Amino acid sequence: MVAARPAAGQPLIELRNIRKSYGGTGGEPSVEILHGIDLDIRAGEFVAIVGASGSGKSTLMHILGCLDRPGSGSYRFAGQDISSLGADELAWLRREAFGFVFQGYHLIRTLDACHNVQVPAVYAGMPAPERQGRAQALLARLGLGERTGHRPGQLSGGQQQRVSIARALMNGGHVILADEPTGALDSHSGAEVMALLRELADAGHTVILITHDPQVAAQARRVVRISDGDIVGDGGQDRSGVSPEPAAPECDARHFMAGMARGAAHGASWFADVKETLGSAWRTLWVSRFRTLLTLLGIVIGVASVIVLMAVGQGASEQTLAQMAAFGNTHRMSIRPGTDNARGLRGLLTEADVRLVSEVPNVDIAMPFLTGSVMLRAGGTDLYTLVWSMGHEGLRLFNWQLARGVFFSEEDERQLATVVVLGKLARERLFPDGDAIGRYVLLDNVPFRVIGELAETGEDDGDNIAAIPFATASRRVLGTPYPGLIQVKVVDPARIDRTVADVTAVLEEAHRVRDFNIANNPAHARAQNEAARQQSLLLALIAGISLVVGGIGIMNIMLMAVKERTREIGIRMATGARQRDIRRQFLTEAVMVSLVGGVAGMAIGLVIGVGLIYWAVPVVFSIRAMLLAFGCAVATGLVFGFMPARQAARLDPVVALAGE
């Protein structure tokens, strides 16, 4: 607001032929409330507009205070026609020029007295320390210095009305619009309020008093009588003791439009705006904390579920890969005899094929492998188990560890040595009394010397076996020179597909037909890991449904909040809130619920995850998953809070003020 005065002799407010009708839509008849009102009010006047209920005085007040628009006619403020101004420009004018004192006080129930008084200054962008000091000074001046921290429900009617007067003065209160300010008060409190209004008029404020009580109206210096939408009496300009140049600063007509354009576009700084909105949202949510907690549950459950399920899924996937890596499966593939599709002949693998495969690039180990069921006997104990016959590099190929002894060597293979390495379970069953190294077992009635014991693998197939050299098995035990399959270990599993193609080409060239099959373990491991990942993602999506449900809950609660807080929205608009301010207020509340729910969900998810780890469930927390869940929670509040916020911002100020 520019600290200058209107041109000499120019009224501050000029109404010409103002008409206002209601209805006329949806088949309803149109009812004209104001019938061509003409009225001039000069700066510094103390005017009472008096009339019976239904006379149109409240409608006139709403038009004077820019809460409503006339149906036709001209309204000039400080020489400028404001009938065509936009919503934000009218909000600026209400914020800078007007202060409202309502019959029902219209204080925001979630704010204490000090913060209620500060509301107009918040939208004006006044720094927090400055507006807090001014609010406290105004309350002290009005005799409420000890009640600044009390909410409206803790104040009497007279005290609430004084708070509303302090709010009206917060931004200067150049024009005080008092609508039945004593109607809800006892006689003593009413007299105090009228005394305050007279003091404000004496200080140079323009005071417009709306009342139905002639005795109250008589305390003004000018009385305008209205009946059935027409002015039927006007006491004329108030000149009793009023300075022609009032003390309160007014709009400069020459710079009015430029000042309004700047004020409508800008309020507080971005940081101050966000800080104030967050603080206001927090206070509102804290007052209704039980309902806020219920709203949070959907978000909390959704975020916690996403974090826990993705952590469990990732843990299961990594455990599977670790188990496969324990047997070398992530670097291994197998070549088996197959059937030629053209002739239907079953193929055979030979040791010559093993040598060909070993020369293929990226092949680390290629060795013959043959298995069969045999009877092992040691002392008086018989054990029917599997014999695995392989090359001397079997230990490295299968990624085994030795608990005791050694593995058979290349020399043992050449000499057809009758040596055996036992799995852990096989050793415990045959030699339960202790170390088996150097002792003998009968393997299909052929004596074999035990030279090693494998460390526990955790799998029956790896712990209940007898491993012997392939050459010994094929000639002395199993009776066939042909490998049952060729076990291959690759150097780089990322190149496995190329290696499979090379091995296929080499063997097809040697056999002239494709009578073999290749089991690609690394590709299988990747597929299994991808399946586990997809399953984890599916679980996370299912858990994400909770976020959507929580978002719908937020939208529902916020829509209810808009309905329940309609009057609060009207109060904020009357004190200068732009549509974007209202929209930001409700959107911030929705996002804050999501933020708090997201943080709580992350904390609960981590606690549940730690509990699962304690119970030996494989869990791997993912920072990305946690950030994703938290981000989705915030986005949920933003998306589902937008519609209620937009609905709140589009409310008509007059309709909102009349709401419950």
Side-chain angles (χ1 to χ4, degrees):
M1 207 58 139
V2 181
R5 297 176 179 83
Q10 176 184 309
L12 178 65
I13 294 174
E14 299 175 79
L15 301 183
R16 293 291 180 268
N17 197 30
I18 294 295
R19 296 179 179 272
K20 181 66 178 179
S21 300
Y22 293 104
T25 60
E28 294 181 2
S30 177
V31 178
E32 190 173 61
I33 305 300
L34 299 179
H35 312 298
I37 296 292
D38 292 327
L39 180 65
D40 289 346
I41 299 176
R42 297 181 180 277
E45 282 195 286
F46 185 5
V47 182
I49 299 176
V50 62
S53 296
S55 61
K57 62 183 184 303
S58 293
T59 301
L60 179 59
M61 188 207 76
H62 293 151
I63 293 173
L64 286 170
C66 300
L67 292 170
D68 202 359
R69 297 175 183 270
S72 63
S74 170
Y75 177 11
R76 302 178 74 85
F77 185 89
Q80 299 297 324
D81 189 350
I82 65 170
S83 60
S84 62
L85 297 183
D88 286 351
E89 293 166 328
L90 290 175
W92 173 83
L93 189 56
R94 289 193 297 268
R95 184 178 72 206
E96 298 296 328
F98 294 99
F100 294 90
V101 181
F102 297 100
Q103 177 181 358
Y105 325 129
H106 285 357
L107 302 179
I108 299 174
R109 65 179 183 82
T110 57
L111 302 181
D112 59 32
C114 188
H115 283 95
N116 261 292
V117 173
Q118 292 180 51
V119 170
V122 169
Y123 298 124
M126 186 183 295
E130 181 181 344
R131 68 171 184 260
Q132 184 172 358
R134 178 168 172 78
Q136 290 175 342
L138 284 170
L139 288 171
R141 173 184 164 190
L142 296 176
L144 295 174
E146 303 298 322
R147 313 286 285 179
T148 58
H150 290 68
R151 287 201 290 268
Q154 300 168 310
L155 300 173
S156 68
Q159 290 171 334
Q160 290 185 60
Q161 195 64 288
R162 278 183 277 170
V163 172
S164 71
I165 293 173
R167 181 181 62 193
L169 296 173
M170 187 64 194
N171 286 351
H174 310 316
V175 180
I176 304 294
L177 280 164
D179 183 17
E180 300 282 7
T182 63
L185 302 178
D186 58 50
S187 58
H188 176 72
S189 298
E192 287 184 342
V193 168
M194 288 305 302
L196 286 172
L197 293 177
R198 285 194 299 274
E199 287 180 18
L200 295 174
D202 292 340
H205 296 272
T206 303
V207 179
I208 303 175
L209 173 65
I210 310 296
T211 182
H212 71 282
D213 187 344
Q215 292 183 348
V216 172
Q219 299 182 56
R221 301 188 184 113
R222 175 186 174 190
V223 178
V224 176
R225 300 183 183 279
I226 186 170
S227 176
D228 295 330
D230 289 305
I231 292 180
V232 296
D234 187 345
Q237 183 177 356
D238 164 26
R239 300 183 179 278
S240 56
V242 180
S243 169
E245 294 185 346
E250 298 291 350
C251 293
D252 184 340
R254 294 168 299 176
H255 302 106
F256 179 81
M257 297 303 290
M260 181 178 59
R262 289 193 303 271
H266 303 287
S269 68
W270 180 86
F271 176 77
D273 232 0
V274 171
K275 182 180 177 182
E276 177 58 35
T277 303
L278 287 173
S280 179
W282 177 256
R283 286 190 294 269
T284 301
L285 294 174
W286 180 251
V287 169
S288 305
R289 48 189 174 273
F290 182 71
R291 187 171 68 180
T292 302
L293 178 61
L294 294 178
T295 309
L296 286 174
L297 286 179
I299 300 297
V300 171
I301 292 171
V303 171
S305 298
V306 169
I307 291 173
V308 172
L309 290 178
M310 291 194 73
V312 171
Q314 184 68 22
S317 176
E318 293 198 6
Q319 185 183 52
T320 300
L321 289 178
Q323 289 173 346
M324 295 183 74
F327 293 98
N329 286 349
T330 55
H331 288 69
R332 201 173 78 236
M333 64 182 185
S334 304
I335 306 169
R336 301 174 181 273
T339 303
D340 173 27
N341 292 331
R343 294 178 294 178
L345 298 176
R346 184 170 178 79
L348 291 173
L349 297 175
T350 66
E351 293 188 68
D353 293 332
V354 176
R355 290 190 289 272
L356 287 173
V357 173
S358 67
E359 295 173 0
V360 172
N362 195 41
V363 171
D364 181 18
I365 300 171
M367 72 179 191
F369 185 85
L370 190 61
T371 184
S373 297
V374 297
M375 178 65 74
L376 288 180
R377 176 174 294 172
T381 304
D382 292 342
L383 176 64
Y384 195 71
T385 187
L386 289 175
V387 62
W388 285 14
S389 61
M390 64 194 72
H392 65 280
E393 291 190 290
L395 198 68
R396 190 160 66 90
L397 185 140
F398 289 108
N399 201 27
W400 284 334
Q401 301 293 324
L402 285 170
R404 300 181 185 85
V406 296
F407 204 73
F408 45 82
S409 65
E410 189 175 7
E411 182 66 21
D412 292 329
E413 289 188 87
R414 283 197 298 268
Q415 295 181 2
L416 306 180
T418 53
V419 293
V420 64
V421 177
L422 297 176
K424 183 176 184 295
L425 290 177
R427 195 278 303 165
E428 289 177 348
R429 291 170 182 172
L430 292 171
F431 301 101
D433 55 343
D435 192 1
I437 304 302
R439 300 167 72 174
Y440 282 84
V441 298
L442 291 178
L443 196 155
D444 280 355
N445 294 321
V446 178
F448 276 73
R449 184 166 58 89
V450 180
I451 62 171
E453 178 188 342
L454 296 175
E456 183 176 8
T457 64
E459 297 287 336
D460 287 345
D461 289 346
D463 291 337
N464 194 27
I465 64 168
I468 63 175
F470 174 80
T472 305
S474 63
R475 290 164 178 80
R476 305 186 63 173
V477 178
L478 301 178
T480 174
Y482 301 108
L485 54 86
I486 300 174
Q487 293 281 12
V488 179
K489 184 176 183 180
V490 298
V491 177
D492 183 5
R495 295 161 52 197
I496 190 68
D497 294 334
R498 180 61 187 170
T499 305
V500 169
D502 292 342
V503 169
T504 300
V506 167
L507 293 181
E508 279 188 346
E509 183 179 357
H511 291 201
R512 304 298 182 184
V513 292
R514 185 167 183 174
D515 56 353
F516 57 88
N517 297 313
I518 300 177
N520 187 344
N521 284 7
H524 175 68
R526 289 201 303 271
Q528 189 169 357
N529 189 42
E530 178 65 18
R533 191 184 71 82
Q534 293 293 339
Q535 186 177 19
S536 299
L537 182 60
L538 177 62
L539 292 173
L541 289 176
I542 293 173
I545 293 174
S546 297
L547 284 176
V548 176
V549 173
I552 294 172
I554 288 176
M555 182 170 65
N556 185 44
I557 291 297
M558 294 308 297
L559 285 171
M560 289 177 60
V562 170
K563 186 169 291 187
E564 292 175 357
R565 295 163 58 191
T566 299
R567 181 170 292 176
E568 176 191 330
I569 296 168
I571 294 168
R572 291 183 181 276
M573 288 179 168
T575 52
R578 299 164 294 182
Q579 288 187 341
R580 76 190 77 169
D581 297 321
I582 299 297
R583 186 167 53 246
R584 183 170 54 240
Q585 172 73 32
F586 280 83
L587 198 57
T588 301
E589 291 179 18
V591 172
M592 181 168 284
V593 169
S594 298
L595 281 170
V596 175
V599 171
M602 289 177 65
I604 291 174
L606 289 171
V607 169
I608 293 174
V610 171
L612 291 175
I613 292 172
Y614 177 79
W615 289 102
V617 176
V619 172
V620 176
F621 289 111
S622 168
I623 297 297
R624 185 174 65 177
M626 287 190 283
L627 292 177
L628 176 65
F630 183 77
C632 287
V634 175
T636 296
L638 194 63
V639 170
F640 286 96
F642 179 75
M643 189 173 76
R646 185 179 64 173
Q647 179 178 321
R650 289 181 173 181
L651 287 175
D652 183 89
V654 172
V655 175
L657 279 170
E660 293 297 332

